[in-house]
Amino acid sequence: MGFPLPDTGFVTEDTGVTGGNLSTTGDANLKGGFNDSNAWVDATYTQGNLGSLDVDSDGSWTYTVDNSLPAIQALDTGDTITEVFTIQSFRGTTTVTITINGQDEPPCFVRGTMIDTPQGPRPIETLAAGDAVLTTDAGPQNIRWIGSKLVSPAVVEDFDAFRPIRILKDCFGPGVPGHDLLVSPMHRILLRGVQTVLHFGQEEVLCAAKLLVNGQTIVRDPAPEVEYFHILFDAHQVIMANDCPTESFLPGTVGLSNFDREAQEQVFALFPELRSLPDSFGPAARQVLRRYEAKAIESVHLPESCFADRLRRVA
């Protein structure tokens, strides 16, 4: 009796970062409620591949890991890494299992992107809340909120999650896009073709730009500095950017958690229900492909399998 029980904990990429680290705490216990004061080996354990676990003599522990590690920054929502630490007490050993949860970066456009409006294409940085933008499903829709974030050269250099994806002119066929389009890695592009119907039963799907990178017509851009812009409507929309169909910002647990506090409060003021129910905004405008699904249609972003003429420009 009184043998040590296993314990668990978790952290989430880019969430609650302090001093560049993710951390969580817990308390290992002995079965039967035995007094475990001074029952544990006070030590720092590093059997995991990424982080470390500090255990005190009473069984309380703290897990710490560098949030900037490439293995963590490469995680998407739904992806996990598990670290298992074997810790010692004077009644035997047990384990503490830590799960690192991935999180997508919010989708956004790069400064200079031309957005279709009823008055014609306009640079995204000239748009403001209240301005109308053309959407493929609902016609002209007024912007409810637009925000921007300047990402420093140091961050762009160190984290691929912030390095923009460049979609070259005519990548998806003549005029789609009409000019090179730069977006954040998780910004989703609308795809259509035989393969989307074959694999998903959908004429149109949304796919993150980073999952379409082919090293030729869709590449990671070596921009030293980048300014990202987010456009929010009353519902998730498909809009035209540089004559290419793509998405507006879809708030939720993933999207909002990466904003600074000021930007979050601006969105909460418009949509107060998101504060307590972050996933209550509504559905995505199209089915969103996961990583393994994107692999099933790798050739969908070749010129011969692109968009219908109606997607070239919203009239």
Side-chain angles (χ1 to χ4, degrees):
M1 298 182 65
F3 59 83
L5 298 172
D7 203 5
T8 61
F10 72 91
V11 293
T12 301
E13 173 192 359
D14 298 333
T15 301
V17 180
T18 302
N21 293 322
L22 303 173
S23 66
T24 188
T25 61
D27 188 5
N29 292 297
L30 300 177
K31 183 177 176 61
F34 278 70
N35 183 352
D36 59 359
S37 178
N38 296 314
W40 299 86
V41 176
D42 189 335
T44 298
Y45 298 87
T46 57
Q47 303 108 317
N49 295 322
L50 302 174
S52 63
L53 189 79
D54 292 322
V55 181
D56 292 336
S57 61
D58 62 357
S60 60
W61 55 262
T62 299
Y63 172 78
T64 305
V65 65
D66 185 348
N67 180 64
S68 70
L69 291 174
I72 295 178
Q73 289 300 312
L75 295 173
D76 295 331
T77 297
D79 294 341
T80 61
I81 297 174
T82 300
E83 296 208 88
V84 180
F85 299 87
T86 299
I87 64 174
Q88 295 182 331
S89 78
F90 296 115
R91 292 181 178 269
T93 63
T94 189
T95 59
V96 175
T97 301
I98 304 296
T99 300
I100 304 172
N101 296 308
Q103 180 166 257
D104 300 333
E105 305 299 332
C108 32
F109 299 98
V110 171
R111 170 181 282 273
T113 301
M114 302 298 290
I115 304 297
D116 275 15
T117 77
Q119 293 74 41
R122 289 180 55 185
I124 192 168
E125 63 270 20
T126 69
L127 297 174
D131 289 345
V133 169
L134 293 175
T135 72
T136 64
D137 298 329
Q141 292 292 304
N142 291 334
I143 297 172
R144 292 298 305 279
W145 175 82
I146 186 166
S148 66
K149 178 180 181 179
L150 185 65
V151 182
S152 70
V155 173
V156 174
E157 177 67 25
D158 290 343
F159 303 119
D160 277 346
F162 293 98
R163 188 182 299 279
I165 303 297
R166 180 179 292 270
I167 301 172
L168 272 62
K169 178 181 182 294
D170 301 327
C171 168
F172 298 109
V176 185
H179 304 280
D180 287 6
L181 175 64
L182 281 91
V183 294
S184 62
M186 285 309 302
H187 197 106
R188 294 177 286 231
I189 307 299
L190 188 141
L191 304 176
R192 65 175 288 120
V194 173
Q195 294 190 58
T196 64
V197 176
L198 177 64
H199 289 283
F200 311 111
Q202 303 288 331
E203 290 189 0
E204 300 173 352
V205 295
L206 289 166
C207 186
K210 75 174 187 177
L211 301 182
L212 298 173
V213 170
N214 58 22
Q216 297 179 352
T217 58
I218 304 177
V219 298
R220 292 190 179 275
D221 193 79
E225 183 178 77
V226 61
E227 186 174 10
Y228 284 125
F229 289 79
H230 318 272
I231 299 180
L232 178 64
F233 300 96
D234 281 321
H236 192 224
Q237 299 289 350
V238 175
I239 62 177
M240 301 297 289
N242 289 9
D243 296 326
C244 183
T246 182
E247 67 171 334
S248 66
F249 176 60
L250 177 62
T253 303
V254 172
L256 289 173
S257 64
N258 284 282
F259 285 0
D260 60 33
R261 177 58 61 182
E262 181 180 359
Q264 289 181 10
E265 291 301 324
Q266 291 172 357
V267 175
F268 290 150
L270 296 170
F271 302 95
E273 66 277 9
L274 293 177
R275 188 184 298 276
S276 58
L277 297 170
D279 293 317
S280 65
F281 181 77
R286 301 291 189 276
Q287 178 179 338
V288 175
L289 300 189
R290 300 186 66 81
R291 186 196 305 271
Y292 71 91
E293 292 172 323
K295 287 184 177 297
I297 57 168
E298 286 179 332
S299 65
V300 78
H301 54 286
L302 298 177
E304 61 267 27
S305 58
C306 298
F307 308 103
D309 288 341
R310 72 179 182 84
L311 291 176
R312 295 186 185 283
R313 176 65 62 82
V314 183

